[in-house]
Amino acid sequence: MDRRKNMCFNIVSIYYGDRPLATRGKPSESKDYYFRCYASAGSNDCGYRQASTIEDLCNGCKKYNYIKPLTKEEIREKYYAGKQREVMVVSTSGWHFKTV
């Protein structure tokens, strides 16, 4: 999974380039977008927080940490004290075991 696509509903992508709508590209991949967080409106005097990437904007946010998927190393450190374990991976097409 791509962590950039996983964002909460408070984030809005804003286009600032000059390309037509059909050729702008995806906000998570194009460099002509910046992201604004509407949950941060009351936290500072200058308005909403904004950044060029979702990671820069959402770093440390509890909602972003909840929805982003963990890597193999993060799962191993967080849940298995750094030891390798076999886990079951479930998808829409079936399930299988994988070592993390």
Side-chain angles (χ1 to χ4, degrees):
M1 287 181 110
D2 185 8
R3 289 186 184 199
R4 295 179 189 171
K5 294 177 184 176
N6 296 325
M7 56 185 191
C8 66
F9 60 89
N10 296 316
I11 298 174
V12 174
S13 58
I14 300 173
Y15 181 74
Y16 62 87
D18 58 354
R19 300 171 98 187
L21 182 63
T23 62
R24 289 183 183 175
K26 298 178 183 176
S28 61
E29 297 173 0
S30 176
K31 300 293 181 190
D32 294 335
Y33 284 90
Y34 68 91
F35 299 94
R36 181 179 289 167
C37 178
Y38 286 101
S40 64
S43 63
N44 56 12
D45 295 334
C46 62
Y48 305 109
R49 288 187 305 134
Q50 57 190 30
S52 59
T53 64
I54 294 173
E55 289 87 4
D56 292 342
L57 181 64
C58 299
N59 193 12
C61 177
K62 290 180 184 177
K63 290 181 182 178
Y64 181 67
N65 287 334
Y66 175 74
I67 62 174
K68 72 179 181 181
L70 299 174
T71 63
K72 278 186 181 182
E73 291 79 22
E74 290 171 337
I75 291 171
R76 189 180 304 140
E77 289 298 318
K78 186 172 183 177
Y79 297 109
Y80 303 120
K83 299 175 184 174
Q84 285 191 349
R85 296 288 171 105
E86 197 169 81
V87 296
M88 182 170 52
V89 179
V90 180
S91 66
T92 56
S93 60
W95 57 274
H96 64 280
F97 286 100
K98 181 178 184 180
T99 304
V100 294

